[in-house]
């Protein structure tokens, strides 16, 4: 599945305070209109779970700008509900020379995305654990399926020259 989003203005755009129904039936209160990608990704994950019943899920996304503050352009953040999968991702990263750093989804991060008027908010507390709360949001859409999220926002737009990421692409 390839969910994509574009930041576009218009009279039909959602606004802070809107509540939308997601593919899996959960209701999400919009707190930040710049977090539209995670809404599409969450729906894609829920769609895959419902229609394909996968044994595992892996999503790769430029999900948060916050990953740049945490890891810069050197490494991707990895977050999972399954230790076996996260260890496999770390092993593959070591083999390929990529850098990944595991971040947690503590209960506090799950609590931070709870809404008083809907099931969830589309962001947690502003400026606090943004990468982990974004992943906690996505985790709400995978159920019990082993899942890994890789936030590549830093490495995707980094200035580091790599054979697959030439400088003319990265700026």
């Amino acid at each position: 599945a390839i969910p994509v989003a574009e930041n576009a203005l218009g009279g039909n755009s959602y606004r802070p305070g809107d509540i939308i129904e997601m593919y899996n039936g959960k209701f999400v209160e919009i707190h930040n209109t710049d977090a539209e990608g995670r809404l599409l990704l969450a729906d894609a994950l829920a769609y895959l779970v419902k229609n394909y019943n996968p044994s595992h899920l892996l999503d790769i996304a430029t999900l948060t700008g916050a990953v740049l503050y945490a890891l810069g352009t050197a490494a991707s953040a990895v977050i999972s509900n399954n230790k076996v999968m996260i260890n496999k991702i770390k092993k593959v990263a070591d083999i390929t020379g990529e850098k990944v750093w595991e971040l947690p989804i503590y209960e506090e991060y799950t609590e931070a995305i709870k809404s008083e008027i809907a099931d969830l908010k589309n962001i947690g507390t502003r400026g606090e654990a943004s990468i982990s709360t974004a992943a906690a949001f996505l985790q709400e859409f995978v159920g019990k399926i082993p899942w890994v999220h890789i936030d590549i926002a830093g490495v995707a737009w980094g200035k580091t020259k790599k054979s697959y990421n030439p400088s003319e692409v990265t700026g």
Side-chain angles (χ1 to χ4, degrees), residues 113-125:
I113 60 165
K114 299 293 182 196
S115 169
E116 293 181 16
I117 58 174
D119 297 311
L120 305 166
K121 300 181 295 188
N122 73 326
I123 62 166
T125 305

Side-chain angles (χ1 to χ4, degrees), residues 42-100:
D43 267 353
L45 291 168
Y47 177 86
L48 291 168
V49 168
K50 180 178 178 182
N51 294 293
Y52 293 94
N53 192 28
S55 61
H56 298 79
L57 282 168
L58 165 68
D59 77 72
I60 302 169
T62 56
L63 194 67
T64 68
V67 76
L68 281 160
Y69 294 105
L71 301 173
T73 60
S76 296
V78 293
I79 303 175
S80 181
N81 65 3
N82 184 277
K83 199 65 173 166
V84 172
M85 282 187 70
I86 204 108
N87 288 336
K88 286 181 180 182
I89 294 293
K90 288 178 178 180
K91 187 174 185 175
V92 168
D94 287 343
I95 291 168
T96 62
E98 293 297 321
K99 293 178 178 78
V100 298

